[in-house]
Amino acid sequence: MEPKKIFLIGFMGVGKTFLGEKLALHLELDFYDLDYAIENEAALDVNNIFQKKGEKYFRQVESDILLNWMKRGVIATGGGVVLKEKNRDFLKSDEHKVVWLCPKWDVIYSRIANSYRPMVLDRTKDELFKLFCEREPLYEECADVTFAGTDLNELIRLF
Ligand code: S3P
């Protein structure tokens, strides 16, 4: 049997890590976070990777790790994972189940507004909303399952 891999995608602040950990527990699968894997590889945290090595380097490592992902489990991705076409093609493969978490913009914004994420730090609310709108079709393109709620029990019911 093909190993089971469930990728959680969506904008920053949608709850990929929070819900992913709980979903993994429920499904008795391991949980992974792609950002942690990138931090391990770069031996720097995400903010320092952006500051010291730049976004291009971050995207390169993100893509290398995603495209070589072998472990079964629930995998939370970073919000920008869908930017590269090759990443989207990988996610769309039949071997993977991709769950797009997409609560309303207001919910998302309230969660990220005061965060120290590098993509948030130098952007206004309008600029973040523009980024959100630009990315929505990319998440949609990759999604097998779309979940607009925030309640774990509702998410679990989809599995
Ligand atoms: C990013 C989202 C972050 C992280 C990096 C870039 C993005 O992950 O990968 O800061 O471009 O949206 P989260 O979505 O978990 O915050």
Side-chain angles (χ1 to χ4, degrees):
M1 197 182 78
E2 203 48 57
K4 189 171 182 180
K5 292 175 221 143
I6 301 172
F7 289 92
L8 300 186
I9 63 167
F11 203 68
M12 294 171 279
V14 296
K16 298 174 298 261
T17 302
F18 179 77
L19 291 172
E21 277 176 344
K22 300 198 162 44
L23 181 65
L25 212 64
H26 174 76
L27 297 174
E28 298 183 351
L29 289 169
D30 290 328
F31 173 77
Y32 300 96
D33 189 320
L34 216 61
D35 279 343
Y36 292 152
I38 297 166
E39 289 178 336
N40 271 339
E41 175 65 30
L44 287 171
D45 66 25
V46 170
N47 282 65
N48 271 306
I49 299 174
F50 271 74
Q51 259 175 36
K52 297 191 170 134
K53 307 241 183 182
E55 183 178 350
K56 195 168 173 218
Y57 171 82
F58 178 87
R59 299 295 174 208
Q60 185 58 54
V61 177
E62 181 177 52
S63 195
D64 286 348
I65 292 176
L66 179 76
L67 300 185
N68 292 297
W69 194 268
M70 302 293 284
K71 295 177 193 144
R72 77 197 290 267
V74 176
I75 304 112
T77 62
V81 78
V82 293
L83 296 176
K84 283 188 192 280
E85 189 179 5
K86 59 184 176 181
N87 294 0
R88 297 199 299 278
D89 287 344
F90 173 88
L91 289 167
K92 286 189 278 182
S93 124
D94 291 341
E95 285 175 44
H96 312 135
K97 185 152 184 154
V98 176
V99 181
W100 173 27
L101 304 181
C102 56
K104 294 214 170 1
W105 166 247
D106 290 349
V107 173
I108 295 176
Y109 184 70
S110 70
R111 290 180 185 164
I112 63 172
N114 296 314
S115 85
Y116 290 94
R117 290 172 170 89
M119 298 300 287
V120 173
L121 283 176
D122 56 354
R123 282 184 170 80
T124 63
K125 185 177 182 183
D126 286 350
E127 285 167 343
L128 279 171
F129 184 63
K130 187 165 172 277
L131 190 67
F132 167 77
C133 294
E134 282 164 8
R135 288 182 178 181
E136 289 288 277
L138 305 180
Y139 300 127
E140 191 173 14
E141 179 188 325
C142 300
D144 298 308
V145 176
T146 299
F147 179 66
T150 50
D151 180 353
L152 173 70
N153 294 318
E154 283 174 34
L155 176 64
I156 282 173
R157 256 179 253 133
L158 302 176
F159 285 84

Short mmCIF file of all heavy atoms in Angstrom, two decimals, residues 32-55:
data_model
loop_
_atom_site.label_atom_id
_atom_site.label_comp_id
_atom_site.label_asym_id
_atom_site.label_seq_id
_atom_site.Cartn_x
_atom_site.Cartn_y
_atom_site.Cartn_z
N TYR A 32 4.31 16.30 10.87
CA TYR A 32 5.54 17.00 10.47
C TYR A 32 5.19 18.43 10.07
O TYR A 32 4.07 18.69 9.60
CB TYR A 32 6.20 16.32 9.27
CG TYR A 32 6.60 14.89 9.55
CD1 TYR A 32 5.77 13.84 9.18
CD2 TYR A 32 7.81 14.61 10.19
CE1 TYR A 32 6.12 12.53 9.45
CE2 TYR A 32 8.17 13.29 10.46
CZ TYR A 32 7.32 12.27 10.08
OH TYR A 32 7.67 10.97 10.35
N ASP A 33 6.16 19.31 10.25
CA ASP A 33 5.98 20.69 9.83
C ASP A 33 7.14 21.02 8.89
O ASP A 33 8.31 20.93 9.26
CB ASP A 33 6.02 21.59 11.09
CG ASP A 33 5.62 23.01 10.78
OD1 ASP A 33 6.03 23.52 9.72
OD2 ASP A 33 4.90 23.60 11.60
N LEU A 34 6.78 21.38 7.67
CA LEU A 34 7.81 21.64 6.65
C LEU A 34 8.75 22.78 7.08
O LEU A 34 9.95 22.73 6.79
CB LEU A 34 7.13 21.99 5.33
CG LEU A 34 7.79 21.49 4.06
CD1 LEU A 34 7.86 19.98 4.02
CD2 LEU A 34 7.04 22.00 2.83
N ASP A 35 8.21 23.78 7.77
CA ASP A 35 9.06 24.89 8.22
C ASP A 35 10.15 24.39 9.17
O ASP A 35 11.29 24.86 9.12
CB ASP A 35 8.24 25.99 8.91
CG ASP A 35 7.58 26.92 7.90
OD1 ASP A 35 7.98 26.93 6.72
OD2 ASP A 35 6.64 27.64 8.30
N TYR A 36 9.80 23.43 10.04
CA TYR A 36 10.81 22.88 10.95
C TYR A 36 11.89 22.14 10.17
O TYR A 36 13.08 22.22 10.49
CB TYR A 36 10.19 21.93 11.99
CG TYR A 36 9.30 22.58 12.99
CD1 TYR A 36 8.26 21.87 13.59
CD2 TYR A 36 9.48 23.90 13.38
CE1 TYR A 36 7.41 22.46 14.51
CE2 TYR A 36 8.64 24.50 14.30
CZ TYR A 36 7.61 23.78 14.86
OH TYR A 36 6.77 24.36 15.78
N ALA A 37 11.45 21.41 9.16
CA ALA A 37 12.41 20.66 8.34
C ALA A 37 13.36 21.64 7.63
O ALA A 37 14.57 21.38 7.51
CB ALA A 37 11.67 19.80 7.32
N ILE A 38 12.81 22.77 7.19
CA ILE A 38 13.65 23.79 6.52
C ILE A 38 14.63 24.39 7.54
O ILE A 38 15.82 24.57 7.24
CB ILE A 38 12.75 24.89 5.90
CG1 ILE A 38 11.85 24.30 4.83
CG2 ILE A 38 13.61 26.02 5.32
CD1 ILE A 38 10.70 25.21 4.39
N GLU A 39 14.13 24.66 8.73
CA GLU A 39 15.00 25.23 9.77
C GLU A 39 16.13 24.27 10.12
O GLU A 39 17.28 24.67 10.28
CB GLU A 39 14.17 25.55 11.03
CG GLU A 39 13.24 26.74 10.83
CD GLU A 39 12.38 27.05 12.05
OE1 GLU A 39 12.14 26.13 12.87
OE2 GLU A 39 11.96 28.21 12.18
N ASN A 40 15.80 22.99 10.19
CA ASN A 40 16.83 21.98 10.47
C ASN A 40 17.88 21.96 9.38
O ASN A 40 19.07 21.91 9.65
CB ASN A 40 16.20 20.57 10.52
CG ASN A 40 15.74 20.26 11.92
OD1 ASN A 40 16.21 20.87 12.88
ND2 ASN A 40 14.80 19.34 12.04
N GLU A 41 17.42 21.97 8.16
CA GLU A 41 18.33 21.90 7.01
C GLU A 41 19.25 23.13 6.98
O GLU A 41 20.45 23.01 6.73
CB GLU A 41 17.48 21.82 5.73
CG GLU A 41 18.22 21.86 4.42
CD GLU A 41 19.13 20.64 4.22
OE1 GLU A 41 18.79 19.56 4.74
OE2 GLU A 41 20.17 20.80 3.55
N ALA A 42 18.67 24.29 7.25
CA ALA A 42 19.44 25.54 7.15
C ALA A 42 20.17 25.86 8.46
O ALA A 42 21.01 26.76 8.49
CB ALA A 42 18.50 26.69 6.78
N ALA A 43 19.84 25.12 9.51
CA ALA A 43 20.38 25.40 10.85
C ALA A 43 20.14 26.85 11.27
O ALA A 43 20.99 27.49 11.90
CB ALA A 43 21.87 25.04 10.93
N LEU A 44 19.01 27.38 10.87
CA LEU A 44 18.59 28.75 11.24
C LEU A 44 17.08 28.74 11.37
O LEU A 44 16.42 27.92 10.72
CB LEU A 44 18.93 29.73 10.10
CG LEU A 44 20.39 30.12 9.87
CD1 LEU A 44 20.49 30.93 8.57
CD2 LEU A 44 20.92 30.94 11.04
N ASP A 45 16.54 29.67 12.15
CA ASP A 45 15.07 29.73 12.16
C ASP A 45 14.57 30.50 10.94
O ASP A 45 15.37 31.14 10.23
CB ASP A 45 14.53 30.28 13.49
CG ASP A 45 14.90 31.73 13.73
OD1 ASP A 45 15.14 32.45 12.75
OD2 ASP A 45 14.95 32.14 14.90
N VAL A 46 13.26 30.40 10.70
CA VAL A 46 12.72 30.94 9.44
C VAL A 46 13.06 32.43 9.28
O VAL A 46 13.49 32.86 8.20
CB VAL A 46 11.18 30.72 9.37
CG1 VAL A 46 10.57 31.49 8.21
CG2 VAL A 46 10.85 29.24 9.25
N ASN A 47 12.91 33.21 10.35
CA ASN A 47 13.20 34.63 10.24
C ASN A 47 14.66 34.90 9.86
O ASN A 47 14.95 35.74 9.01
CB ASN A 47 12.87 35.36 11.55
CG ASN A 47 11.39 35.58 11.67
OD1 ASN A 47 10.64 34.61 11.77
ND2 ASN A 47 10.94 36.81 11.63
N ASN A 48 15.55 34.13 10.48
CA ASN A 48 16.96 34.31 10.15
C ASN A 48 17.30 33.83 8.75
O ASN A 48 18.19 34.39 8.10
CB ASN A 48 17.85 33.63 11.19
CG ASN A 48 18.16 34.56 12.33
OD1 ASN A 48 18.66 35.67 12.11
ND2 ASN A 48 17.85 34.15 13.54
N ILE A 49 16.60 32.81 8.30
CA ILE A 49 16.83 32.36 6.91
C ILE A 49 16.48 33.51 5.97
O ILE A 49 17.25 33.85 5.06
CB ILE A 49 16.00 31.10 6.55
CG1 ILE A 49 16.37 29.92 7.44
CG2 ILE A 49 16.22 30.74 5.08
CD1 ILE A 49 15.50 28.68 7.25
N PHE A 50 15.31 34.12 6.18
CA PHE A 50 14.89 35.23 5.31
C PHE A 50 15.89 36.40 5.40
O PHE A 50 16.26 36.98 4.39
CB PHE A 50 13.48 35.71 5.68
CG PHE A 50 12.38 34.99 4.94
CD1 PHE A 50 12.05 33.69 5.27
CD2 PHE A 50 11.67 35.62 3.92
CE1 PHE A 50 11.03 33.01 4.60
CE2 PHE A 50 10.66 34.95 3.24
CZ PHE A 50 10.32 33.65 3.58
N GLN A 51 16.31 36.69 6.63
CA GLN A 51 17.20 37.85 6.84
C GLN A 51 18.60 37.62 6.28
O GLN A 51 19.16 38.47 5.61
CB GLN A 51 17.36 38.10 8.34
CG GLN A 51 16.49 39.24 8.84
CD GLN A 51 16.61 39.35 10.36
OE1 GLN A 51 17.69 39.12 10.92
NE2 GLN A 51 15.52 39.66 11.01
N LYS A 52 19.14 36.43 6.58
CA LYS A 52 20.55 36.20 6.26
C LYS A 52 20.76 35.60 4.88
O LYS A 52 21.79 35.83 4.25
CB LYS A 52 21.19 35.30 7.31
CG LYS A 52 21.17 35.94 8.70
CD LYS A 52 22.03 35.17 9.68
CE LYS A 52 22.17 35.99 10.94
NZ LYS A 52 21.98 35.24 12.16
N LYS A 53 19.80 34.78 4.45
CA LYS A 53 20.01 34.06 3.18
C LYS A 53 19.04 34.51 2.10
O LYS A 53 19.23 34.22 0.93
CB LYS A 53 19.84 32.56 3.41
CG LYS A 53 20.70 32.01 4.54
CD LYS A 53 21.64 30.98 4.01
CE LYS A 53 22.47 30.34 5.07
NZ LYS A 53 23.40 29.38 4.50
N GLY A 54 17.94 35.13 2.51
CA GLY A 54 16.98 35.64 1.52
C GLY A 54 15.84 34.68 1.23
O GLY A 54 15.95 33.47 1.48
N GLU A 55 14.76 35.24 0.70
CA GLU A 55 13.57 34.43 0.42
C GLU A 55 13.86 33.38 -0.65
O GLU A 55 13.35 32.26 -0.59
CB GLU A 55 12.40 35.32 -0.02
CG GLU A 55 11.14 34.50 -0.26
CD GLU A 55 9.92 35.31 -0.65
OE1 GLU A 55 9.97 36.56 -0.57
OE2 GLU A 55 8.92 34.67 -1.04
#
